[in-house]
Amino acid sequence: KAGVTQTPRYLIKTRGQQVTLSCSPISGHRSVSWYQQTPGQGLQFLFEYFSETQRNKGNFPGRFSGRQFSNSRSEMNVSTLELGDSALYLCASRRDTERSPLHFGNGTRLTVT
Amino acid sequence: DQQVKQNSPSLSVQEGRISILNCDYTNSMFDYFLWYKKYPAEGPTFLISISSIKDKNEDGRFTVFLNKSAKHLSLHIVPSQPGDSAVYFCAALLFGNEKLTFGTGTRLTIIP
């Protein structure tokens, strides 16, 4: 069974640009979550999608947005990039049963210059 | 406001000995706890979890202990193996919510 797939693995962007990251969940998983990992803040929750609807949202500015498609694939968009957005962005999927663990992809490393 | 804290950024343990990783939390509404392991350039991998109605859960070499009154949990790995060298994150879930709150991680190094 294929794991969570994230593309691209690495991205370099300049300040002010926008970026779109992609995530394909494990087959059968309808819940997809996004996390940001930085050295100073650790892993922080961005948002969760289920059946194409945002079900939960973290404390990030509106520049961070996402969506989910009918096949459960998800995209995350960051507009007007800032230097502080440089991070590892992790996507995770899970079965929609109570307390089922998240399964993470290997992440997209975003560098903003 | 860090609600889940791992106060030891790093830990070194001799191969074959016990590794004990600690985690403290401040929010008494957390009712489910998980441990994840992360290798460089990979995403975190789920290890073991525990519900707040239990005080211990065991899976092979991994045991998680929960002390609700102290708001403290720990992960025991015994015996420690070189492949256990990684960063370990504890994480917590609020009752009725599936949003994980992570600690900042502890880098475990197993010395051969």
Side-chain angles (χ1 to χ4, degrees), chain B residues 80-102:
Chain B
S80 299
Q81 299 173 354
D84 297 330
S85 294
V87 177
Y88 289 78
F89 292 94
C90 67
L93 285 170
L94 284 169
F95 174 75
N97 194 308
E98 297 292 339
K99 178 188 100 169
L100 274 175
T101 299
F102 281 89

Side-chain angles (χ1 to χ4, degrees), chain A residues 38-93:
Chain A
T38 57
Q41 298 295 320
L43 279 147
Q44 293 195 296
F45 173 76
L46 280 154
F47 25 66
E48 180 201 6
Y49 286 87
F50 177 79
S51 289
E52 303 176 66
T53 301
Q54 188 179 85
R55 189 157 70 170
N56 223 330
K57 189 175 188 308
N59 297 323
F60 278 81
R63 300 186 296 107
F64 292 81
S65 62
R67 59 177 176 168
Q68 187 181 33
F69 303 95
S70 57
N71 61 359
S72 294
R73 193 176 68 82
S74 177
E75 286 181 349
M76 189 191 113
N77 186 278
V78 188
S79 61
T80 320
L81 283 166
E82 301 176 358
L83 294 179
D85 297 333
S86 295
L88 180 67
Y89 290 89
L90 291 158
C91 171
S93 71

Side-chain angles (χ1 to χ4, degrees), chain A residues 9-10 35 37 40-43 45 48 56-58 88 90 94 97-106, chain B residues 2 31-32 34 36 38 41-46 49 89 93-104:
Chain A
R9 286 299 307 272
Y10 302 94
Y35 286 79
Q37 185 184 13
Q41 298 295 320
L43 279 147
F45 173 76
E48 180 201 6
N56 223 330
K57 189 175 188 308
L88 180 67
L90 291 158
R94 54 184 285 274
T97 52
E98 193 177 0
R99 300 314 196 217
S100 62
L102 285 175
H103 297 268
F104 284 86
N106 288 331
Chain B
Q2 193 71 29
D31 73 335
Y32 199 80
L34 306 92
Y36 282 82
K38 187 179 185 301
E42 294 184 13
T45 303
F46 169 70
S49 61
F89 292 94
L93 285 170
L94 284 169
F95 174 75
N97 194 308
E98 297 292 339
K99 178 188 100 169
L100 274 175
T101 299
F102 281 89
T104 50

